[in-house]
Amino acid sequence: MTTAHRRVRLGVGLVAAVLSLAGCSGGGADDAGSGESASATVTAADAAGTPSAASPTPVVSPSDVYPTNADGCHPNAKWSTAKAVDWVDWGQIGQPALAAGEVRFGKSTPGFDGPLCAKVAVQVEYWRINYRPSSATSAADPLAREVNYDFSMKSLKRSELHIDGRAVHDVKPPKGFASTKASPCDGFLEAIYVGAPLKSRELPTKIDTGNSILGDTVTFPTKRVVDYHVFAPSGPQLCDDNGVPTASPAPSGYPSSGFGLSTPSVPEFQLTPKS
């Protein structure tokens, strides 16, 4: 995956059809209210047994994955974190037409994926990731198939929302996020997660990027993360041990302090060059 979201969401109708055919009840099954199940409507023959002129056309109605109750909402007060993640993941995000870093939480289809009775707290956070060669591997080695980098993170912006599927919510990234004029040593990370802001122990411990087949992966030591997107730096092989480019001349306006980020106590960064 390059600059598109890690997951490409299918249209609601297609998802509904797959769920219906597979017999899947979705994330809301164990506490769902009453709702109608999927059905098929077929044109029947007349009373005399003569087939109708037109061929029968099966019509499949959507499964009520998150059926609503008498109040017109899906009860979710006792949802686990995993169920909240599931609902936000396939039902709310994934707008490929939006610009880099923009996130849209959509309006639910009544009865199908909401709305919810209780709002879910969702965070959208953006970081700058500063890279420098790992002491374990020479980043300048042209024969290395997998190059290791150390990295440090600095949060640029975090937006907290409370969503229930009743309205559309758009989140904009900070100015300059994932700019096409990327720094050799600075990349970016965007993540969407449920609940409170991530604690330091929940921040990424490993980032794999640059693999055109497997895509980008970020290891978060928490299951609250719904989705993420990595924007790699433009030339990490040019960076010194402080995360500052050594190319001559250095990019205009690049501060020698590396945005004030100290040398980290090193989680590993692995960059697999594109073939």
Side-chain angles (χ1 to χ4, degrees):
M1 180 176 65
T2 56
T3 58
H5 276 283
R6 180 170 61 91
R7 304 184 181 90
V8 177
R9 275 74 185 180
L10 299 177
V12 169
L14 179 57
V15 174
V18 173
L19 291 173
S20 176
L21 293 175
C24 176
S25 60
D30 61 354
D31 57 24
S34 62
E36 297 181 5
S37 59
S39 62
T41 302
V42 181
T43 302
D46 58 28
T50 304
S52 60
S55 299
T57 303
V59 178
V60 180
S61 61
S63 295
D64 290 340
V65 185
Y66 297 93
T68 55
N69 59 17
D71 294 328
C73 58
H74 181 78
N76 63 309
K78 297 182 180 180
W79 267 9
S80 63
T81 295
K83 291 174 71 62
V85 167
D86 183 62
W87 179 77
V88 175
D89 187 10
W90 75 266
Q92 294 296 305
I93 62 173
Q95 305 291 329
L98 297 178
E102 292 187 14
V103 179
R104 170 167 293 173
F105 297 94
K107 187 175 181 179
S108 63
T109 301
F112 175 62
D113 58 350
L116 304 182
C117 295
K119 292 185 177 182
V120 173
V122 180
Q123 311 284 341
V124 181
E125 191 162 2
Y126 305 88
W127 294 267
R128 178 186 289 117
I129 311 293
N130 182 249
Y131 303 80
R132 68 286 311 272
S134 169
S135 57
T137 305
S138 170
D141 182 1
L143 299 180
R145 294 181 60 84
E146 186 175 87
V147 184
N148 293 336
Y149 290 88
D150 298 334
F151 68 88
S152 61
M153 301 176 63
K154 180 179 181 180
S155 181
L156 300 175
K157 177 183 177 182
R158 179 179 56 81
S159 297
E160 179 173 323
L161 302 94
H162 297 268
I163 62 175
D164 56 10
R166 297 180 188 273
V168 175
H169 299 275
D170 288 329
V171 179
K172 302 289 186 182
K175 185 177 180 180
F177 180 81
S179 170
T180 54
K181 298 179 180 178
S183 157
C185 305
D186 288 313
F188 298 91
L189 173 64
E190 163 202 347
I192 302 166
Y193 55 95
V194 302
L198 291 178
K199 299 182 182 299
S200 58
R201 66 174 180 269
E202 296 177 299
L203 293 176
T205 56
K206 185 177 180 182
I207 301 174
D208 294 337
T209 188
N211 191 310
S212 58
I213 298 177
L214 301 179
D216 302 329
T217 58
V218 180
T219 302
F220 287 90
T222 177
K223 296 185 182 300
R224 296 196 288 128
V225 177
V226 178
D227 198 11
Y228 59 78
H229 193 182
V230 179
F231 300 84
S234 61
Q237 71 279 5
L238 303 177
C239 305
D240 64 16
D241 291 341
N242 294 314
V244 178
T246 58
S248 181
S252 175
Y254 195 99
S256 60
S257 63
F259 290 100
L261 299 175
S262 58
T263 301
S265 55
V266 274
E268 181 185 38
F269 172 84
Q270 297 179 321
L271 175 65
T272 304
K274 292 183 178 179
S275 57

